[in-house]
Amino acid sequence: MKVTDHIKKSKGKTLFSFEIIPPKKGKNIQELYDNIDPLMEFKPPFIDVTTSREEYVYIEKDGLLDRKITRMRPGTVGICAAIKHKYDVDTVPHVLCGGFTKEETEYLLVDCHYLGLDNVMALRGDAMSHQKYFQPTKGGHSYASNLVEQIKNLNTGKFLHEVMEVDTKPNFCIGVAGYPEKHIEAPSLKTDLKRLKEKVDAGADYIVTQMFFNNADYFAFVDKVKEIGIDVPIIPGIKPIATKQHLQLLPQVFKIDLPEELISEVEKCKNNAEVRQVGVEWCIEQSKELLKAGAPVLHYYSMGKSDNIKKIAEAIF
C-alpha cells in the first residue's frame, strides 16, 4: 500500500514509522531484525531503508595502495523485500541520484516493481567523502526533481529510451526530503522551498523532513510550504540525541540548530547513557506536541538501534 494511502486510511490518527540503515557488507541481517522486532508492536505501516553512496577504499597490493570503489552498505532493495516478506509491512527504499546512472536507476525501479514495493524515497544524496560539493554521476541525475520525473514517467510506462505497452505499470508513491532549517547548500530558505516545489510539481506525493529539535521550526516550515501551494502530507523526521558528540556532530553534518535547553541538559550528563535518556525524554515531549498538532506520521531516524525508539513509542503510541 502507498504511504499516502496509509495516511488516508488512518483518518487523522498519527502513525508511527522509522528508518533503518543496511548492515555493513559481510554482516548478518539478523542484527537488523533484532532491532526491528521490538518496534513491530507499534504497528508501523511502513519502514524506510536507506541507500549508501559509493566510496573509495585503499587496498595494499605489492607494497602499493590500490584505490577501489565500493559500497559499504549494499542491499537496500533486498532488505526491503526481506522485511516486507518477514513482517508483512510496506517498505520504502531510498533511491539516490549520486552513484547511479539513469539506466541503473531504471533497473532498480523495475526490481522494486517486481518485488511489489509500492513506495520509493527520491533523494539527490550527499557528496562522496573526498568531494567538497556534490558532483553528479556521469549519466546520472543532478537533482532530486529530475529523479522524481523519471520515476513518474515510469509510472506511465515511459522508459528512458522508449514508451512501451506494458502488462502492469508501476505506480510508485514518491517521497522527497524537506528541510525546516533549509538544505545545507541552499543560499536561503526561500530558495530551498522553490526547489521543494519543483520536486512536488514533478510528481512527489509526500515530504519527510530532515531531523529537527525545535518543533517551532517544523510548524513554521509547514506554514511556508502551504503558502507556496504545496498540498501533500509533510511527515516530521525525528531523531533522539544519543551521545555528547552529537552536540558537535549533528550541527556540523546537517547544519541544524540545537535548542539551548537541550544543550544544557546534555552537558550536565556524566556519560552517554545519561545523554541517551535525555534524548529520549526530549523526543517524547517533541512527539507529544507533534501528535497534538495532528502530524500525519511520526517518523524516527533509528540509525539501526531500537532501544531508545521503543521507549519513545511506548510513551506516545
Side-chain angles (χ1 to χ4, degrees), residues 160-294:
L160 284 173
H161 306 303
E162 54 200 331
V163 178
M164 300 177 63
E165 287 295 327
V166 293
D167 295 330
T168 57
K169 296 175 184 176
N171 190 16
F172 293 115
C173 179
I174 307 168
V176 293
Y179 300 86
E181 298 173 74
K182 91 171 182 62
H183 188 275
I184 180 176
E185 296 172 19
S188 69
L189 180 57
K190 186 174 181 179
T191 302
D192 198 31
L193 289 169
K194 287 180 182 178
R195 301 288 88 83
L196 181 60
K197 182 72 160 54
E198 289 171 2
K199 290 188 282 189
V200 174
D201 288 347
D205 298 293
Y206 68 98
I207 297 164
V208 180
T209 75
Q210 173 64 279
M211 69 181 73
F212 56 90
F213 291 87
N214 188 337
N215 285 350
D217 293 328
Y218 169 76
F219 296 136
F221 175 73
V222 170
D223 288 342
K224 289 183 174 69
V225 165
K226 290 180 178 178
E227 284 173 7
I228 61 172
I230 294 176
D231 185 24
V232 299
I234 304 170
I235 298 172
I238 316 164
K239 175 180 172 56
I241 201 165
T243 69
K244 275 200 173 184
Q245 190 181 18
H246 280 164
L247 292 184
Q248 288 75 42
L249 186 64
L250 296 180
Q252 179 183 358
V253 174
F254 300 103
K255 296 298 182 287
I256 57 175
D257 285 337
L258 298 176
E260 288 299 327
E261 184 182 350
L262 176 59
I263 295 169
S264 176
E265 289 303 310
V266 170
E267 287 178 338
K268 293 176 188 176
C269 294
K270 298 182 180 65
N271 52 51
N272 281 336
E274 292 184 5
V275 174
R276 203 166 181 83
Q277 183 58 33
V278 167
V280 166
E281 292 171 2
W282 186 274
C283 200
I284 287 172
E285 293 308 309
Q286 262 194 285
S287 299
K288 285 179 178 178
E289 187 177 20
L290 292 165
L291 185 72
K292 187 177 180 181

Side-chain angles (χ1 to χ4, degrees), residues 4-292:
T4 49
D5 287 338
H6 281 297
I7 292 172
K8 289 174 186 173
K9 186 180 176 183
S10 74
K11 296 181 179 178
K13 180 183 177 182
T14 300
L15 303 172
F16 164 78
S17 72
F18 59 96
E19 179 178 297
I20 58 173
I21 59 176
K24 286 187 177 179
K25 190 161 50 179
K27 296 292 184 180
N28 195 305
I29 196 172
Q30 186 59 47
E31 183 180 347
L32 200 59
Y33 292 153
D34 290 343
N35 280 292
I36 293 173
D37 286 344
L39 301 178
M40 294 311 296
E41 67 175 279
F42 307 107
K43 296 180 172 55
F46 61 91
I47 299 170
D48 275 47
V49 183
T50 66
T51 296
S52 65
R53 280 233 41 184
E54 77 281 25
E55 56 186 280
Y56 286 112
V57 295
Y58 293 87
I59 302 170
E60 187 174 350
K61 184 178 181 181
D62 299 327
L64 299 174
L65 290 177
D66 190 18
R67 190 171 80 160
K68 298 289 186 182
I69 197 162
T70 186
R71 291 185 192 274
M72 296 305 294
R73 296 180 183 270
T76 296
V77 173
I79 289 169
C80 283
I83 292 173
K84 181 179 174 67
H85 174 73
K86 180 176 175 62
Y87 297 102
D88 191 25
V89 63
D90 285 310
T91 49
V92 186
H94 288 197
V95 182
L96 305 182
C97 296
F100 297 86
T101 65
K102 296 171 188 176
E103 285 77 12
E104 288 169 334
T105 297
E106 182 170 278
Y107 304 149
L108 183 150
L109 293 169
V110 169
D111 283 345
C112 289
H113 177 47
Y114 288 156
L115 291 166
L117 305 180
D118 296 324
N119 306 279
V120 292
M121 173 64 67
L123 305 166
R124 190 200 69 176
D126 299 324
M128 293 179 68
S129 57
H130 68 284
Q131 297 173 339
K132 189 171 183 180
Y133 303 106
F134 176 85
Q135 296 175 17
T137 298
K138 185 177 181 180
H141 292 297
S142 299
Y143 303 104
S145 56
N146 304 137
L147 176 56
V148 171
E149 186 177 3
Q150 180 181 356
I151 300 168
K152 203 69 177 178
N153 283 340
L154 197 64
N155 281 353
T156 66
K158 184 178 179 182
F159 290 75
L160 284 173
H161 306 303
E162 54 200 331
V163 178
M164 300 177 63
E165 287 295 327
V166 293
D167 295 330
T168 57
K169 296 175 184 176
N171 190 16
F172 293 115
C173 179
I174 307 168
V176 293
Y179 300 86
E181 298 173 74
K182 91 171 182 62
H183 188 275
I184 180 176
E185 296 172 19
S188 69
L189 180 57
K190 186 174 181 179
T191 302
D192 198 31
L193 289 169
K194 287 180 182 178
R195 301 288 88 83
L196 181 60
K197 182 72 160 54
E198 289 171 2
K199 290 188 282 189
V200 174
D201 288 347
D205 298 293
Y206 68 98
I207 297 164
V208 180
T209 75
Q210 173 64 279
M211 69 181 73
F212 56 90
F213 291 87
N214 188 337
N215 285 350
D217 293 328
Y218 169 76
F219 296 136
F221 175 73
V222 170
D223 288 342
K224 289 183 174 69
V225 165
K226 290 180 178 178
E227 284 173 7
I228 61 172
I230 294 176
D231 185 24
V232 299
I234 304 170
I235 298 172
I238 316 164
K239 175 180 172 56
I241 201 165
T243 69
K244 275 200 173 184
Q245 190 181 18
H246 280 164
L247 292 184
Q248 288 75 42
L249 186 64
L250 296 180
Q252 179 183 358
V253 174
F254 300 103
K255 296 298 182 287
I256 57 175
D257 285 337
L258 298 176
E260 288 299 327
E261 184 182 350
L262 176 59
I263 295 169
S264 176
E265 289 303 310
V266 170
E267 287 178 338
K268 293 176 188 176
C269 294
K270 298 182 180 65
N271 52 51
N272 281 336
E274 292 184 5
V275 174
R276 203 166 181 83
Q277 183 58 33
V278 167
V280 166
E281 292 171 2
W282 186 274
C283 200
I284 287 172
E285 293 308 309
Q286 262 194 285
S287 299
K288 285 179 178 178
E289 187 177 20
L290 292 165
L291 185 72
K292 187 177 180 181

